[in-house]
Amino acid sequence: DEPVEIVTIRVKAVGLIDKPELPRMKPKEYKPKPMSLRKAFFESGGWVDTKIYRHELLKPGAEISGPAIIEGDESTTLIPPNYAAYVDEFFSIHIIK
C-alpha cells in the first residue's frame, strides 16, 4: 500500500543519422612564425631552444619543424627534435618523423 518511488531511469536509443559536416579549410603551405622561444629539456639533447606556437593561430597547411611546442586552451603538443608537424584541413596536428 506504499507509493512507488522511481530513483533512477535510463533510456537508450539507437538510430541512423546523417554524417555531420566538419568545418574544413583548404590547406595552403606556409611556415608560421613562432610566438616566442624557450628552453625545453629533451632526453636526446638536454636543454634545447624550442619554438613556441599558439594552436588557435595555426591554419591548415602550416608546417612546423621540431623542436617546438604548440600551446592551446585544451592541450599542448610537443614536437621533438628531428620531427615535424603539419596542420590538416580539419585543423588537426599531425606529427611526422
Side-chain angles (χ1 to χ4, degrees):
D1 292 335
E2 294 294 319
V4 176
E5 178 183 349
I6 299 174
V7 176
T8 303
I9 188 166
R10 293 190 178 129
V11 176
K12 181 178 180 178
V14 178
L16 298 174
I17 61 169
D18 293 331
K19 204 175 205 180
E21 185 64 33
L22 298 174
R24 62 171 57 180
M25 178 187 262
K26 187 174 180 172
K28 183 178 177 184
E29 269 187 46
Y30 77 101
K31 296 230 181 253
K33 291 187 178 185
M35 292 177 17
S36 63
L37 194 68
R38 83 168 76 122
K39 297 257 187 214
F41 186 84
F42 294 91
E43 287 185 9
S44 61
W47 290 98
V48 178
D49 285 335
T50 305
K51 298 169 288 231
I52 308 299
Y53 297 88
R54 189 75 191 153
H55 189 191
E56 291 79 11
L57 300 177
L58 298 176
K59 294 183 176 48
E63 295 180 353
I64 298 169
S65 58
I69 296 173
I70 303 172
E71 298 176 337
D73 290 337
E74 291 85 25
S75 66
T76 299
T77 304
L78 176 69
I79 305 163
N82 303 316
Y83 282 76
Y86 69 92
V87 180
D88 71 10
E89 70 266 22
F90 297 106
F91 295 84
S92 297
I93 300 170
H94 298 261
I95 300 174
I96 53 177
K97 182 139 177 128

